Amino acid sequence: MKSRLFPTFPALRAGLVGVAGLAGLVGLAGLAGCADTRTGYPSLVPRPIEREVMQAEAVPPAPPVTPAPPAPSADIAQIVAGARSADAAFRAEVEKARAAIEAGRSAPEGSEAWVAGQQAYSNADIARLPVADALAELDRRREAAVDAGDSASEAAIAEAQGQLQELQEAERALLVALLPA
């Protein structure tokens, strides 16, 4: 039987050299590429351009980044007013969704009424996000006030955070009351 795989290598065709022999030949061929007949190696001495860079003056450090000035009390009042407006919208969403949520509580799981109740509950829960966003903004501003050492702004922001946390807790309690017992 004539081998089509190794037509030019009679030893392989005859089966005299196995896979190990072929691997050895490939290994020797690979090592032959590592032999170098050059006697000189590149110098590790810095090149002229490198000497110039090493003698150059260091770049001055960047000026320190100053945090944004803490928010004035008018901005804080605006954030609180926006959160109160969002709380009113949340309560309106809850009232709009209450009938569907209550119908879904007594419906069998997976039914149309149950799905509608779940969707209404989710929509009401999403309506809570603006108050949480306002709390996050106040937290960011309070951190900036602490970093700047502005204790007056920090106190005003802390008071506003307390008001919004009360709103958030009342919203959470309202949603928990809508859940099945």
Side-chain angles (χ1 to χ4, degrees):
M1 177 175 166
K2 190 172 183 180
S3 172
R4 290 186 191 172
L5 202 55
F6 304 107
T8 58
F9 298 110
L12 290 176
R13 189 175 45 221
L16 299 176
V17 179
V19 174
L22 180 62
L25 287 174
V26 170
L28 285 175
L31 286 176
C34 294
D36 191 1
T37 58
R38 290 187 289 162
T39 57
Y41 294 100
S43 172
L44 297 178
V45 176
R47 295 174 290 187
I49 189 72
E50 292 170 337
R51 280 190 218 112
E52 289 176 22
V53 171
M54 289 189 295
Q55 293 172 354
E57 292 184 26
V59 176
V65 176
T66 56
S73 60
D75 285 348
I76 296 169
Q78 186 178 13
I79 292 171
V80 171
R84 290 190 187 282
S85 172
D87 179 60
F90 162 77
R91 293 180 186 280
E93 180 68 30
V94 167
E95 290 308 314
K96 184 174 87 172
R98 184 179 301 275
I101 293 171
E102 289 175 354
R105 281 196 316 200
S106 60
E109 188 173 324
S111 67
E112 287 294 322
W114 181 84
V115 170
Q118 293 292 316
Q119 289 174 338
Y121 186 87
S122 294
N123 290 338
D125 193 27
I126 289 171
R128 293 177 53 207
L129 290 178
V131 174
D133 289 344
L135 270 170
E137 177 63 22
L138 287 178
D139 189 48
R140 185 187 66 74
R141 290 177 186 232
R142 184 176 183 189
E143 184 178 328
V146 168
D147 289 345
D150 187 0
S151 59
S153 290
E154 180 186 353
I157 293 170
E159 181 183 336
Q161 280 180 315
Q163 293 172 12
L164 295 190
Q165 285 171 345
E166 288 176 11
L167 278 179
Q168 190 176 38
E169 285 301 313
E171 290 177 355
R172 187 192 63 76
L174 188 59
L175 281 179
V176 167
L178 291 174
L179 290 175

